[in-house]
Amino acid sequence: MSPGEAAATPAAEPPDSRARHALRGLLWNYAGSAATIVLQLAYTACTARVVSPASFGAFATAVAVSGVLGYFANGGVATCLLTAERLTRQLVTLVLRIGAVSGVLCCLATQAVTPVVTALWDMPDVAPLLRLIGLQFLVLPAALAATAALRRCGRTAQVVRLELTGNAVGAATALILLATGWDPFALAVPAPLGTAVLLAGALRLLRRQDLPDGERPRARGLVDASGFFSAFSLSQYLCNNAPLWLAGRLGASAAGYHSRATLFTALPLTVLAQGIGQAATPVLAADRGRSRQAVSDVLCLASAIGFIGFGVFAGLGPAALDVLLGPGWDVASRLVPLLAAGSAVALVVLVGDNVNQARDDRRSLLVCQAWAASAIAVALAAVVAQDSLPLLAAAALAGPLVGHTAQLLRWRAHGVVAPAPLLRVHAVHLAAGGLLALAGHLGAAAGDSPPHRLLLGCAAVLAVLVCAAPLRARLPLHAVAVRHGLLPRPYPWRLRGRSAPRPARQQ
């Protein structure tokens, strides 16, 4: 096997090495996401001072319409490469061609639906904005496919830098155009321009990558897989946003409260789920998810990040949202803990879907999604009967809970992973997250203003973290980190909790 083939094929590496590469890729993904969020906040602050609310409304409408078509343009091509058992030059070339064709078709569809959108909304600026945003589809699927191939080759750091470069170039160009009077059309520039920069850089790196040769894949099989993943992503989008759409039935104020609280919890959920999925899917796909240890480690990571991370979010989120939104948003703040709990379980479910994708188990994906959709439908029916805003937020928790239960049953039936040990992992991480949530809530309750509550809540959470630091070895995530060499292995007597002499040094 050539060095290039060894680098391009994850299966050529030892499992521990692949796991370390995946965790390093996860850190790069999260660092890039944090930088992107900061850049987006700065860009939003600048544009808010020169763009009118009406222009922002027209832009948001155009983005919402193009987002539905975006699932067909980019929902499957990148997943096909991330879940491929072996990455070859022929496979990458074919996926890039399929992405180019699907992008052209979605761009034409965007131009075709523009008159319909203009007729439905009395916003004259929507049509040109939608046409400009639709140009992004000419390069978006190919860019996602190229970056997915680079991630499989271990080039996550370079991909993150390219994504940041594209976002920065697009935002800077839009600000320059706004300064010269291109309001509001400059708002549609960052998406296609940033994606074009990303595609150019990714193709340049991919051309230098020594990919191994292999058999020519069948185009029909890839098209079918891409279509399935696109439809599955669209169904997830519809189910996850159904409570938000139903909020308007409870009144405009209720819809506003629910939308702000949902946005507050959905942003970290999206960032965390994408980071874990992009880093872990290639490792799982290398052996089609047949390694029970690898599956357990990935789910343990999702459990720890979900339950502990969103536990902190549940405790500090209400005070943080009060600081961000100002007075008059108390109802939205009270929804944050329940939505944070739903986001914690949803993160585990999304990573579980990545496991099923790596196993190419489409039936399990459909069955689990059907159960989650049924639970959401029942919860929404109760909302219609009771007109309760907290019950609407509970629908975001009911769907993931039922969906993960269906995942556990399917995994037990197929011997993927044993449910009992995984449930114990969930219980430990849930207890840790619940303790941090309680500390944040009690600390924030002692404050007399939103900034004061947030400061006291952060101090309480930090105090609990410091006091609980000696117990970190009890967390299942700590054992996973030690097993993969990310943390030093403790001495056996430290694990047993009693003293013992140090072993004699070998001469």
Side-chain angles (χ1 to χ4, degrees):
M1 181 179 293
S2 66
E5 185 174 350
T9 308
E13 301 179 11
D16 290 343
S17 177
R18 295 202 305 269
R20 285 193 291 271
H21 288 169
L23 290 172
R24 281 196 292 268
L26 178 65
L27 295 177
W28 269 105
N29 287 335
Y30 285 163
S33 298
T36 300
I37 291 174
V38 172
L39 177 64
Q40 186 63 38
L41 291 175
Y43 171 74
T44 302
C46 293
T47 54
R49 286 161 172 77
V50 295
V51 178
S52 65
S55 297
F56 266 122
F59 174 68
T61 303
V63 170
V65 174
S66 63
V68 177
L69 291 173
Y71 278 93
F72 294 98
N74 57 41
V77 289
T79 306
C80 290
L81 288 180
L82 288 175
T83 59
E85 190 170 2
R86 184 171 180 265
L87 196 66
T88 63
R89 184 175 299 279
Q90 288 80 3
L91 176 62
V92 173
T93 301
L94 182 57
V95 170
L96 286 173
R97 291 174 180 173
I98 293 174
V101 173
S102 67
V104 171
L105 293 177
C106 286
C107 180
L108 295 176
T110 304
Q111 311 305 318
V113 301
T114 298
V116 179
V117 175
T118 305
L120 291 176
W121 284 280
D122 186 17
M123 298 181 185
D125 291 336
V126 169
L129 285 171
L130 185 57
R131 290 192 176 97
L132 288 173
I133 294 175
L135 298 177
Q136 181 188 18
F137 295 136
L138 296 174
V139 291
L140 181 60
L144 292 177
T147 54
L150 289 172
R151 292 180 189 275
R152 286 296 301 267
C153 298
R155 298 293 190 91
T156 303
Q158 289 88 335
V159 170
V160 171
R161 295 191 192 105
L162 283 175
E163 290 173 343
L164 288 175
T165 302
N167 291 331
V169 170
T173 304
L175 291 176
I176 293 174
L177 292 177
L178 285 173
T180 57
W182 287 73
D183 179 15
F185 308 114
L187 294 175
V189 170
L193 181 58
T195 308
V197 171
L198 175 62
L199 176 61
L203 291 179
R204 183 170 175 268
L205 288 176
L206 196 59
R207 192 176 295 111
R208 298 178 179 179
Q209 191 69 31
D210 187 15
L211 294 173
D213 291 325
E215 297 181 359
R216 184 176 181 180
R218 296 179 58 186
R220 181 175 180 180
L222 284 175
V223 171
D224 291 342
S226 176
F228 172 82
F229 290 129
S230 297
F232 180 74
S233 299
L234 181 60
S235 67
Q236 284 184 321
Y237 171 79
L238 295 176
C239 289
N240 294 336
N241 286 276
L244 184 60
W245 296 335
L246 188 64
R249 183 183 177 89
L250 304 180
S253 298
Y257 293 138
H258 189 270
S259 65
R260 295 304 91 188
T262 301
L263 179 64
F264 191 59
T265 56
L267 181 59
L269 172 62
T270 302
V271 171
L272 294 172
Q274 287 180 348
I276 297 177
Q278 291 171 346
T281 301
V283 177
L284 297 173
D287 59 359
R288 280 287 178 241
R290 287 186 287 267
S291 173
R292 298 185 68 174
Q293 188 64 65
V295 172
S296 299
D297 289 348
V298 170
L299 293 174
C300 178
L301 175 65
S303 173
I305 294 177
F307 291 118
I308 298 178
F310 279 101
V312 176
F313 208 80
L316 301 179
L321 191 62
D322 286 337
V323 172
L324 289 176
L325 299 182
W329 292 91
D330 296 341
V331 176
S333 300
R334 289 196 293 269
L335 298 177
V336 170
L338 192 57
L339 292 174
S343 297
V345 184
L347 178 63
V348 179
V349 172
L350 290 173
V351 175
D353 289 338
N354 291 328
V355 172
N356 289 330
Q357 289 175 359
R359 296 177 58 244
D360 198 21
D361 189 357
R362 301 182 188 180
R363 182 176 178 83
S364 292
L365 288 171
L366 294 176
V367 169
C368 297
Q369 182 63 25
W371 277 104
S374 301
I376 292 175
V378 172
L380 295 183
V383 171
V384 173
Q386 300 293 329
D387 285 342
S388 171
L389 192 58
L391 191 59
L392 183 62
L397 176 61
L401 274 177
V402 174
H404 189 51
T405 302
Q407 286 178 339
L408 292 173
L409 295 176
R410 296 286 299 181
W411 290 338
R412 184 183 65 176
H414 292 82
V416 178
V417 66
L422 183 58
L423 289 175
R424 286 194 291 270
V425 168
H426 289 343
V428 174
H429 292 151
L430 180 60
L435 179 62
L436 293 174
L438 180 61
H441 174 73
L442 294 178
D448 53 3
S449 65
H452 192 205
R453 289 199 299 269
L454 181 59
L455 181 62
L456 292 178
C458 291
V461 169
L462 183 60
V464 171
L465 288 175
V466 171
C467 294
L471 301 176
R472 62 186 181 277
R474 303 293 181 181
L475 290 176
L477 181 63
H478 187 274
V480 173
V482 170
R483 181 164 52 250
H484 293 293
L486 298 176
L487 291 175
R489 188 176 296 276
Y491 289 107
W493 59 84
R494 292 183 183 175
L495 291 178
R496 292 194 298 267
R498 60 176 182 268
S499 62
R502 291 178 177 271
R505 180 177 296 179
Q506 297 284 341
Q507 295 295 332

